Amino acid sequence: GIKMASRGVALIDATTGSLLMEQANGPFLAATITGINLKSTGATTVWTVPSIGGSAAFWPTCMLLYCTASTSVTVVPTVRAGVSTSLTSLAAARSLTGFNSVGQYVDLMEGTGTTPAVKSGCPQGSIIQISVTVGATATTMDGGVSLFGYFIG
C-alpha cells in the first residue's frame, strides 16, 4: 500500500508507481539545476511536472535564479520563465538590474513595484523552463535555478 507522511502527501508516479516526492504542509523544493550560461540566449528545462494521476496541477510559488559565477559583467541578462508552450506564464521577460555578482539571487515569479505577479498552474507533463532572451555581456556569467511549489487538485 501507499504510505503517507504524517503531515503531508506522498506523490506517486501514476505510470511506474514510484515515490516522486513527499509534499508536506506548504511548498516543497521541486527542482534545482545549475550550469545555466547567462551570456547565451535560449531556454533551459528546469523541471518536467510528473504524472501523479488525477487532475492535480503543480502550482509554482517561487523560482529563484542565483548567480554562481560572474566576471566583468557590464550588461545583465534579460530572463523569462514559464512552461515550454508559454514562456511568460510564470514570469514575463525582464532585465535583471543589479543582478551581477556571485551569491545574488532573484525570485523570477515576484511582482515588480505595485504590479503583482500573475501566475499559472502547470498541468502534469508540463515542461517548466527558464529562457534568457538577452544574454549578459560579461567574461563569465553562470547561474542556477531552484523551483518551489505544491500540487493542487
Side-chain angles (χ1 to χ4, degrees):
I2 297 175
K3 294 183 179 181
M4 303 300 268
S6 61
R7 292 183 47 208
V9 177
L11 302 175
I12 308 297
D13 186 296
T15 304
T16 66
S18 62
L19 179 67
L20 296 170
M21 67 203 75
E22 182 179 309
Q23 180 174 320
N25 296 331
F28 63 92
L29 174 62
T32 295
I33 64 165
T34 58
I36 300 170
N37 183 344
L38 297 169
K39 291 175 47 179
S40 299
T41 59
T44 300
T45 296
V46 175
W47 193 51
T48 300
V49 179
S51 294
I52 61 169
S55 61
F58 178 71
W59 291 83
T61 57
C62 176
M63 182 181 282
L64 298 179
L65 172 65
Y66 51 92
C67 184
T68 59
S70 70
T71 308
S72 304
V73 177
T74 57
V75 176
V76 297
T78 297
V79 177
R80 63 185 180 171
V83 296
S84 59
T85 56
S86 177
L87 272 171
T88 57
S89 62
L90 299 177
R94 66 178 173 184
S95 176
L96 301 179
T97 303
F99 181 73
N100 57 13
S101 299
V102 173
Q104 291 180 323
Y105 67 92
V106 61
D107 183 353
L108 296 176
M109 296 179 62
E110 196 172 79
T112 57
T114 58
T115 305
V118 178
K119 307 166 192 149
S120 299
C122 304
Q124 297 173 43
S126 295
I127 299 169
I128 298 173
Q129 297 182 318
I130 180 175
S131 174
V132 176
T133 59
V134 176
T137 301
T139 304
T140 60
M141 188 165 196
D142 297 326
V145 171
S146 292
L147 175 67
F148 298 83
Y150 52 94
F151 280 92
I152 296 179

